[in-house]
């Protein structure tokens, strides 16, 4: 594959902007950071050098002898996680927990060798196994920049609002944004586009509130409602809540904001051992909390068909679109969503 559009995952800003590796090692050593972090990232998390990046739109350069459906020259989405498509996990749609790579907590692009030998997507070429299963062609007429984040962050937003709204047509939606910066915004837009009666988006960042409003969401300052942190943001609560602040306090706030029978999907990382969760509150409201990786491959066909059908303008979340050759500088930019591009062949 030759990636020609690549998105910066919200999670990639953490190792780029902060010296987190040493902090994580120290945290694991004293038992403050959950040891599963070491299973995913290795004993020395983000040990360089490694190729970063796990969101891309790519062109097929060559195919192996066993590939039957994917053709040279096709434009495809490469999901962030490697999956075989035929094991029990994959058949259940848990494509990011593929059992064919059982020695890994995650088999994925762009996290370094602890997550397998796959490399990263900010690269000249990327090798893709199980190509007939993994690769999903981009529908004709869908601009590549629109689906720059389909490999991960857009798919993560999709799972957090589209299936819950399918089960609760016209539900009210709350998004606590600002941590998983682009996921919260994609979720706001997708919730509006899927018929939510109310979409409230909480974030202290002005530019992101503007993007949320451009999608038709109601944007609110996080700090304005901080004193009501442990109360629902409305008296009746929300049937669908997305926790995208990536903070333990955000999880608690999200759960306290649930309406009876509501579901909260937490899309962030909660690294500490023993993150407190108000279970009795969940009992009282019959609330559901969903935590875990997104299974991008499983949702890609429906999601791309939706984008093709509706023209959903996911590119409005991209706050910096940079030339591929400027990747080192652009990838480090302190902005919501970076997308790199170069001409397709
Ligand atoms: Zn990611
Ligand atoms: Zn599998």
């Amino acid at each position: 594959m030759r990636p020609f559009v690549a998105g910066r995952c919200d999670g990639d800003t953490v190792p780029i902007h902060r010296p987190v590796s040493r902090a994580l090692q120290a945290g694991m050593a004293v038992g403050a950071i959950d040891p599963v972090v070491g299973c995913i990232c290795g004993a020395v998390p983000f040990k360089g050098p490694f190729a970063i990046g796990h969101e891309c739109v790519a062109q097929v350069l060559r195919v192996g002898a066993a590939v039957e459906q994917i053709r040279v020259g096709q434009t495809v989405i490469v999901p962030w996680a490697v999956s075989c498509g035929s094991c029990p996990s994959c058949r259940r749609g848990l494509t990011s927990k593929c059992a064919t790579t059982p020695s890994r907590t995650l088999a994925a692009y762009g996290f370094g060798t602890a997550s397998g030998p796959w490399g990263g997507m900010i690269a000249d070429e990327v090798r893709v196994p199980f190509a007939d299963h993994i690769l999903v062609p981009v529908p004709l007429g869908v601009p590549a920049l629109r689906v720059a984040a389909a490999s991960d962050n857009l798919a993560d937003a999709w799972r957090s609002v589209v299936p819950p709204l399918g089960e609760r047509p016209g539900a009210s939606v709350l998004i606590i944004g600002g941590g998983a910066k682009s996921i919260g915004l994609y979720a706001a837009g997708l919730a509006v586009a899927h018929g939510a009666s109310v979409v409230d988006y909480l974030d202290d960042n002005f530019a992101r509130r503007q993007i949320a409003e451009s999608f038709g969401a109601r944007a609110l300052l996080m700090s304005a409602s901080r004193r009501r942190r442990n109360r629902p943001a409305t008296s009746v609560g929300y049937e669908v809540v997305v926790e995208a602040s990536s903070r333990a306090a955000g999880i608690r706030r999200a759960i306290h904001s649930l309406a009876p029978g509501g579901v909260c999907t937490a899309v962030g990382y909660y690294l500490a051992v023993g993150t407190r969760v108000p279970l009795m509150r969940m009992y009282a409201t019959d609330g559901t909390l969903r935590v875990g990786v997104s299974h991008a491959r499983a949702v890609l066909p429906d999601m791309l068909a939706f984008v093709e059908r509706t023209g959903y303008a996911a590119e409005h979340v991209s706050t910096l679109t940079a030339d591929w050759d400027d990747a080192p500088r652009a990838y480090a930019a302190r902005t919501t969503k970076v997308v790199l591009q170069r001409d397709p062949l």
Side-chain angles (χ1 to χ4, degrees), residues 9-104:
C9 170
D10 295 340
D12 276 353
T13 57
V14 177
I16 279 185
H17 287 153
R18 282 183 256 153
V20 287
S21 184
R22 231 175 253 167
L24 289 174
Q25 291 168 58
M28 286 189 280
V30 300
I33 299 286
D34 198 298
V36 80
V37 174
C39 299
I40 296 172
C41 299
V44 182
F46 312 113
K47 186 174 189 297
F50 67 89
I52 203 164
H54 54 268
E55 292 185 340
C56 80
V57 185
Q59 269 184 317
V60 180
L61 294 180
R62 296 179 290 279
V63 298
V67 175
E68 293 178 346
Q69 287 160 43
I70 293 296
R71 300 179 312 279
V72 170
Q74 261 186 316
T75 297
V76 294
I77 303 292
V78 188
W80 69 273
V82 174
S83 60
C84 74
S86 53
C87 74
S89 292
C90 284
R91 287 202 303 271
R92 284 180 57 205
L94 304 174
T95 52
S96 300
K97 299 303 300 177
C98 174
T100 303
T101 50
S103 63
R104 306 286 181 191

Side-chain angles (χ1 to χ4, degrees), residues 3 82 103 152 191-192 200 217 225 236 246 283 304 319 333:
V82 174
S103 63
D152 183 8
V192 171
D200 283 347
S225 51
V236 290
S246 217
Y283 177 86
L304 292 176
T319 48

Side-chain angles (χ1 to χ4, degrees), residues 52-284:
I52 203 164
H54 54 268
E55 292 185 340
C56 80
V57 185
Q59 269 184 317
V60 180
L61 294 180
R62 296 179 290 279
V63 298
V67 175
E68 293 178 346
Q69 287 160 43
I70 293 296
R71 300 179 312 279
V72 170
Q74 261 186 316
T75 297
V76 294
I77 303 292
V78 188
W80 69 273
V82 174
S83 60
C84 74
S86 53
C87 74
S89 292
C90 284
R91 287 202 303 271
R92 284 180 57 205
L94 304 174
T95 52
S96 300
K97 299 303 300 177
C98 174
T100 303
T101 50
S103 63
R104 306 286 181 191
T105 302
L106 292 177
Y109 292 94
F111 292 97
T113 53
S115 296
W118 313 110
M121 295 182 186
I122 315 299
D124 293 333
E125 295 187 7
V126 174
R127 181 171 64 97
V128 178
F130 312 110
D132 281 333
H133 155 70
I134 289 190
L135 299 174
V136 183
V138 176
L140 281 178
V142 171
L145 289 175
R146 181 161 288 172
V147 289
S151 303
D152 183 8
N153 289 174
L154 184 57
D156 208 345
W158 179 276
R159 60 97 181 227
S160 71
V161 291
V162 177
L165 279 166
E167 294 165 3
R168 300 164 182 78
S172 54
V173 176
L174 171 68
I175 291 149
I176 303 176
K181 295 181 174 66
S182 76
I183 298 174
L185 291 171
Y186 293 133
L190 289 171
V192 171
H194 285 81
S197 55
V198 173
V199 180
D200 283 347
Y201 175 84
L202 286 189
D203 196 330
D204 282 345
N205 180 277
F206 176 72
R208 282 195 295 276
R209 289 203 307 278
Q210 279 195 312
I211 295 171
E213 284 177 344
S214 79
F215 280 127
R218 183 169 66 174
L220 304 165
L221 272 171
M222 184 95 79
S223 50
S225 51
R226 189 162 284 161
R227 61 201 144 77
R228 297 182 300 161
R229 181 178 300 154
N230 288 342
R231 306 226 192 99
T234 68
S235 55
V236 290
Y238 300 84
E239 294 153 282
V240 177
V241 177
V242 180
E243 201 306 285
S245 75
S246 217
R247 298 177 61 229
I251 289 225
R252 292 190 280 277
R253 178 185 211 156
I255 289 170
H256 281 281
S257 300
L258 282 176
V263 57
C264 167
T265 303
V267 300
Y269 301 137
Y270 312 93
L271 304 176
V273 167
T275 299
R276 286 188 297 121
V277 172
L279 284 178
M280 196 59 205
R281 173 78 191 200
M282 292 173 67
Y283 177 86

